[in-house]
């Protein structure tokens, strides 16, 4: 005679405290892991985060993200190579003990980060407008302590929209090596507005447009 045993598949109390919906949000390679509170409401709940490179066996405690009450952890420094794949995981701690670890999706910064529009500075000489283009910067610091431009890590192009009377007149495109765009042959004593967009050439993804910068020709 055979006996059939049923396993207890009900979740443990600790699983009710596991964080929910782990998701990386990335802008200009500022890579921040977000999550939500568990379904079960518990006082004094804290969270701890670990990360690793895909393929590594060992997990690393994420700096500044141990025993925190926030629902996010900035992992920009830990995920600073945009061509690596990363994982993160989060668990909670309460008076009932630790929850189980919850794993993020596999994160690839080069594909998943979004970009801000470049900053533009506009000057006019007669009927010529000069546009200085400043790419967005990452949170990562270079050897001199200044923040690294995103174009050091990712090839971008920049589109400049020339607008007159709320109608686009021209669209100019320049690569990330060009720091200045010169627009000639404009009408005299006319007000033009300019907006800028960052574009990832390989995927075609675009940033939001920058605020309008308006200037009048002489």
């Amino acid at each position: 005679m055979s006996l059939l045993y049923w396993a207890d598949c009900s979740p443990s109390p600790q699983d009710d405290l596991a964080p929910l919906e782990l998701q990386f949000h990335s802008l200009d390679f500022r890579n921040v892991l977000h999550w939500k509170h568990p379904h079960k409401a518990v006082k004094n709940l804290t969270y701890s985060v670990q990360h690793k490179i895909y393929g590594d066996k060992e997990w690393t405690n994420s700096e500044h993200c141990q025993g925190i009450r926030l629902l996010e952890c900035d992992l920009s420094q830990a995920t600073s190579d945009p061509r690596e794949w990363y994982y993160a995981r989060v668990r909670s701690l309460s008076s009932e003990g630790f929850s189980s670890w919850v794993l993020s999706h596999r994160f690839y910064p080069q594909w998943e980060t979004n970009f801000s529009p470049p900053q533009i500075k506009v000057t006019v000489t007669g009927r010529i407008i000069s546009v200085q283009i400043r790419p967005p910067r990452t949170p990562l610091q270079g050897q001199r302590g200044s923040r690294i431009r995103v174009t050091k890590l990712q090839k971008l192009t920049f589109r400049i929209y020339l607008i007159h009377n709320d109608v686009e007149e021209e669209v100019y495109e320049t690569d990330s090596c060009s720091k200045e765009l010169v627009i000639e042959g404009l009408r005299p004593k006319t007000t033009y507005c300019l907006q800028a967009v960052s574009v990832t050439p390989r995927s075609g993804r675009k940033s939001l447009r920058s605020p309008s910068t308006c200037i009048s020709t002489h």
Side-chain angles (χ1 to χ4, degrees), residues 182-206:
V182 177
I183 304 174
E184 301 178 323
L186 300 174
R187 290 188 288 273
K189 298 181 180 180
T190 302
T191 298
Y192 292 93
C193 295
L194 297 99
Q195 294 177 322
V197 165
S198 299
V199 182
T200 309
R202 183 173 296 180
S203 66
R205 286 187 301 155
K206 297 185 294 184

mmCIF file of all heavy atoms in Angstrom, residues 182-206:
data_model
loop_
_atom_site.group_PDB
_atom_site.id
_atom_site.type_symbol
_atom_site.label_atom_id
_atom_site.label_comp_id
_atom_site.label_asym_id
_atom_site.label_seq_id
_atom_site.Cartn_x
_atom_site.Cartn_y
_atom_site.Cartn_z
ATOM 1 N N VAL A 182 26.669 76.185 -35.217
ATOM 2 C CA VAL A 182 26.492 77.538 -35.729
ATOM 3 C C VAL A 182 25.367 77.515 -36.766
ATOM 4 O O VAL A 182 25.412 76.749 -37.726
ATOM 5 C CB VAL A 182 27.790 78.082 -36.344
ATOM 6 C CG1 VAL A 182 27.549 79.471 -36.933
ATOM 7 C CG2 VAL A 182 28.890 78.143 -35.291
ATOM 8 N N ILE A 183 24.354 78.363 -36.556
ATOM 9 C CA ILE A 183 23.199 78.446 -37.461
ATOM 10 C C ILE A 183 23.241 79.819 -38.132
ATOM 11 O O ILE A 183 23.170 80.859 -37.459
ATOM 12 C CB ILE A 183 21.880 78.260 -36.694
ATOM 13 C CG1 ILE A 183 21.886 76.933 -35.918
ATOM 14 C CG2 ILE A 183 20.699 78.304 -37.647
ATOM 15 C CD1 ILE A 183 20.689 76.741 -35.013
ATOM 16 N N GLU A 184 23.354 79.800 -39.456
ATOM 17 C CA GLU A 184 23.516 81.047 -40.199
ATOM 18 C C GLU A 184 22.296 81.330 -41.082
ATOM 19 O O GLU A 184 21.413 80.480 -41.236
ATOM 20 C CB GLU A 184 24.776 80.970 -41.069
ATOM 21 C CG GLU A 184 26.058 80.734 -40.278
ATOM 22 C CD GLU A 184 27.274 80.607 -41.183
ATOM 23 O OE1 GLU A 184 27.132 80.006 -42.281
ATOM 24 O OE2 GLU A 184 28.350 81.081 -40.798
ATOM 25 N N GLY A 185 22.284 82.518 -41.661
ATOM 26 C CA GLY A 185 21.268 82.880 -42.641
ATOM 27 C C GLY A 185 19.880 83.080 -42.070
ATOM 28 O O GLY A 185 18.884 82.847 -42.768
ATOM 29 N N LEU A 186 19.792 83.524 -40.840
ATOM 30 C CA LEU A 186 18.481 83.727 -40.216
ATOM 31 C C LEU A 186 17.933 85.112 -40.545
ATOM 32 O O LEU A 186 18.654 86.010 -40.983
ATOM 33 C CB LEU A 186 18.618 83.546 -38.703
ATOM 34 C CG LEU A 186 19.120 82.163 -38.254
ATOM 35 C CD1 LEU A 186 19.353 82.161 -36.758
ATOM 36 C CD2 LEU A 186 18.124 81.077 -38.642
ATOM 37 N N ARG A 187 16.643 85.269 -40.321
ATOM 38 C CA ARG A 187 16.015 86.550 -40.609
ATOM 39 C C ARG A 187 16.422 87.588 -39.562
ATOM 40 O O ARG A 187 16.553 87.256 -38.374
ATOM 41 C CB ARG A 187 14.494 86.397 -40.637
ATOM 42 C CG ARG A 187 13.990 85.602 -41.843
ATOM 43 C CD ARG A 187 12.460 85.637 -41.927
ATOM 44 N NE ARG A 187 11.846 84.831 -40.890
ATOM 45 C CZ ARG A 187 11.599 83.525 -41.003
ATOM 46 N NH1 ARG A 187 11.940 82.877 -42.106
ATOM 47 N NH2 ARG A 187 11.017 82.864 -40.029
ATOM 48 N N PRO A 188 16.583 88.837 -39.979
ATOM 49 C CA PRO A 188 16.967 89.869 -39.003
ATOM 50 C C PRO A 188 15.800 90.237 -38.095
ATOM 51 O O PRO A 188 14.622 90.095 -38.460
ATOM 52 C CB PRO A 188 17.368 91.054 -39.892
ATOM 53 C CG PRO A 188 16.598 90.856 -41.164
ATOM 54 C CD PRO A 188 16.490 89.368 -41.351
ATOM 55 N N LYS A 189 16.162 90.701 -36.896
ATOM 56 C CA LYS A 189 15.182 91.196 -35.913
ATOM 57 C C LYS A 189 14.023 90.212 -35.721
ATOM 58 O O LYS A 189 12.849 90.591 -35.729
ATOM 59 C CB LYS A 189 14.674 92.570 -36.331
ATOM 60 C CG LYS A 189 15.763 93.632 -36.378
ATOM 61 C CD LYS A 189 15.228 94.988 -36.765
ATOM 62 C CE LYS A 189 16.360 96.015 -36.799
ATOM 63 N NZ LYS A 189 15.878 97.364 -37.182
ATOM 64 N N THR A 190 14.405 88.952 -35.554
ATOM 65 C CA THR A 190 13.416 87.875 -35.408
ATOM 66 C C THR A 190 13.757 87.054 -34.171
ATOM 67 O O THR A 190 14.932 86.781 -33.896
ATOM 68 C CB THR A 190 13.416 86.964 -36.650
ATOM 69 O OG1 THR A 190 13.137 87.765 -37.803
ATOM 70 C CG2 THR A 190 12.365 85.872 -36.535
ATOM 71 N N THR A 191 12.740 86.684 -33.417
ATOM 72 C CA THR A 191 12.950 85.864 -32.221
ATOM 73 C C THR A 191 12.858 84.380 -32.584
ATOM 74 O O THR A 191 11.879 83.946 -33.199
ATOM 75 C CB THR A 191 11.920 86.198 -31.139
ATOM 76 O OG1 THR A 191 12.090 87.570 -30.747
ATOM 77 C CG2 THR A 191 12.109 85.306 -29.913
ATOM 78 N N TYR A 192 13.877 83.637 -32.191
ATOM 79 C CA TYR A 192 13.914 82.193 -32.395
ATOM 80 C C TYR A 192 14.048 81.519 -31.027
ATOM 81 O O TYR A 192 14.693 82.052 -30.119
ATOM 82 C CB TYR A 192 15.107 81.781 -33.261
ATOM 83 C CG TYR A 192 15.024 82.242 -34.699
ATOM 84 C CD1 TYR A 192 15.604 83.451 -35.090
ATOM 85 C CD2 TYR A 192 14.385 81.469 -35.668
ATOM 86 C CE1 TYR A 192 15.541 83.887 -36.412
ATOM 87 C CE2 TYR A 192 14.326 81.881 -36.991
ATOM 88 C CZ TYR A 192 14.898 83.101 -37.354
ATOM 89 O OH TYR A 192 14.836 83.518 -38.668
ATOM 90 N N CYS A 193 13.445 80.357 -30.916
ATOM 91 C CA CYS A 193 13.602 79.534 -29.711
ATOM 92 C C CYS A 193 14.250 78.218 -30.098
ATOM 93 O O CYS A 193 14.010 77.696 -31.198
ATOM 94 C CB CYS A 193 12.254 79.283 -29.044
ATOM 95 S SG CYS A 193 11.479 80.795 -28.388
ATOM 96 N N LEU A 194 15.059 77.689 -29.206
ATOM 97 C CA LEU A 194 15.772 76.445 -29.467
ATOM 98 C C LEU A 194 15.524 75.454 -28.350
ATOM 99 O O LEU A 194 15.438 75.833 -27.165
ATOM 100 C CB LEU A 194 17.279 76.697 -29.607
ATOM 101 C CG LEU A 194 17.676 77.594 -30.788
ATOM 102 C CD1 LEU A 194 17.905 79.011 -30.296
ATOM 103 C CD2 LEU A 194 18.910 77.064 -31.503
ATOM 104 N N GLN A 195 15.400 74.189 -28.729
ATOM 105 C CA GLN A 195 15.292 73.087 -27.782
ATOM 106 C C GLN A 195 16.268 71.997 -28.211
ATOM 107 O O GLN A 195 16.619 71.888 -29.399
ATOM 108 C CB GLN A 195 13.872 72.524 -27.753
ATOM 109 C CG GLN A 195 12.834 73.493 -27.219
ATOM 110 C CD GLN A 195 11.428 72.922 -27.282
ATOM 111 O OE1 GLN A 195 11.067 72.234 -28.221
ATOM 112 N NE2 GLN A 195 10.635 73.195 -26.261
ATOM 113 N N ALA A 196 16.681 71.178 -27.252
ATOM 114 C CA ALA A 196 17.674 70.135 -27.535
ATOM 115 C C ALA A 196 17.192 68.785 -27.026
ATOM 116 O O ALA A 196 16.439 68.702 -26.052
ATOM 117 C CB ALA A 196 19.007 70.491 -26.890
ATOM 118 N N VAL A 197 17.651 67.733 -27.699
ATOM 119 C CA VAL A 197 17.290 66.357 -27.355
ATOM 120 C C VAL A 197 18.549 65.491 -27.471
ATOM 121 O O VAL A 197 19.348 65.678 -28.391
ATOM 122 C CB VAL A 197 16.188 65.826 -28.302
ATOM 123 C CG1 VAL A 197 16.051 64.319 -28.208
ATOM 124 C CG2 VAL A 197 14.858 66.491 -27.995
ATOM 125 N N SER A 198 18.705 64.562 -26.545
ATOM 126 C CA SER A 198 19.749 63.535 -26.651
ATOM 127 C C SER A 198 19.173 62.300 -27.335
ATOM 128 O O SER A 198 18.056 61.884 -27.013
ATOM 129 C CB SER A 198 20.274 63.133 -25.257
ATOM 130 O OG SER A 198 20.836 64.238 -24.588
ATOM 131 N N VAL A 199 19.933 61.722 -28.262
ATOM 132 C CA VAL A 199 19.473 60.557 -29.014
ATOM 133 C C VAL A 199 20.529 59.460 -28.917
ATOM 134 O O VAL A 199 21.729 59.714 -29.098
ATOM 135 C CB VAL A 199 19.225 60.894 -30.501
ATOM 136 C CG1 VAL A 199 18.705 59.667 -31.250
ATOM 137 C CG2 VAL A 199 18.247 62.056 -30.632
ATOM 138 N N THR A 200 20.093 58.234 -28.618
ATOM 139 C CA THR A 200 20.985 57.078 -28.650
ATOM 140 C C THR A 200 20.946 56.503 -30.063
ATOM 141 O O THR A 200 19.914 55.965 -30.486
ATOM 142 C CB THR A 200 20.526 56.010 -27.643
ATOM 143 O OG1 THR A 200 20.340 56.618 -26.364
ATOM 144 C CG2 THR A 200 21.555 54.896 -27.522
ATOM 145 N N PRO A 201 22.034 56.615 -30.828
ATOM 146 C CA PRO A 201 21.973 56.244 -32.253
ATOM 147 C C PRO A 201 21.565 54.797 -32.493
ATOM 148 O O PRO A 201 20.787 54.509 -33.405
ATOM 149 C CB PRO A 201 23.405 56.510 -32.741
ATOM 150 C CG PRO A 201 23.972 57.486 -31.767
ATOM 151 C CD PRO A 201 23.348 57.164 -30.457
ATOM 152 N N ARG A 202 22.077 53.889 -31.701
ATOM 153 C CA ARG A 202 21.831 52.468 -31.977
ATOM 154 C C ARG A 202 20.367 52.094 -31.795
ATOM 155 O O ARG A 202 19.791 51.363 -32.604
ATOM 156 C CB ARG A 202 22.708 51.601 -31.072
ATOM 157 C CG ARG A 202 22.582 50.110 -31.341
ATOM 158 C CD ARG A 202 23.599 49.327 -30.543
ATOM 159 N NE ARG A 202 24.964 49.672 -30.954
ATOM 160 C CZ ARG A 202 26.050 49.125 -30.416
ATOM 161 N NH1 ARG A 202 25.929 48.250 -29.428
ATOM 162 N NH2 ARG A 202 27.249 49.474 -30.831
ATOM 163 N N SER A 203 19.741 52.604 -30.760
ATOM 164 C CA SER A 203 18.351 52.240 -30.471
ATOM 165 C C SER A 203 17.351 53.282 -30.949
ATOM 166 O O SER A 203 16.162 52.985 -31.080
ATOM 167 C CB SER A 203 18.174 52.040 -28.964
ATOM 168 O OG SER A 203 18.357 53.272 -28.276
ATOM 169 N N GLY A 204 17.830 54.511 -31.184
ATOM 170 C CA GLY A 204 16.918 55.577 -31.570
ATOM 171 C C GLY A 204 16.150 56.184 -30.412
ATOM 172 O O GLY A 204 15.280 57.038 -30.617
ATOM 173 N N ARG A 205 16.446 55.779 -29.190
ATOM 174 C CA ARG A 205 15.742 56.339 -28.032
ATOM 175 C C ARG A 205 16.092 57.812 -27.863
ATOM 176 O O ARG A 205 17.236 58.216 -28.048
ATOM 177 C CB ARG A 205 16.083 55.574 -26.767
ATOM 178 C CG ARG A 205 15.412 54.202 -26.677
ATOM 179 C CD ARG A 205 15.662 53.574 -25.332
ATOM 180 N NE ARG A 205 17.086 53.400 -25.074
ATOM 181 C CZ ARG A 205 17.630 53.325 -23.879
ATOM 182 N NH1 ARG A 205 16.880 53.441 -22.797
ATOM 183 N NH2 ARG A 205 18.923 53.139 -23.730
ATOM 184 N N LYS A 206 15.101 58.612 -27.474
ATOM 185 C CA LYS A 206 15.294 60.045 -27.329
ATOM 186 C C LYS A 206 14.962 60.482 -25.907
ATOM 187 O O LYS A 206 14.101 59.904 -25.254
ATOM 188 C CB LYS A 206 14.398 60.795 -28.319
ATOM 189 C CG LYS A 206 14.706 60.532 -29.782
ATOM 190 C CD LYS A 206 13.856 61.392 -30.699
ATOM 191 C CE LYS A 206 12.390 61.039 -30.612
ATOM 192 N NZ LYS A 206 11.572 61.818 -31.573
#
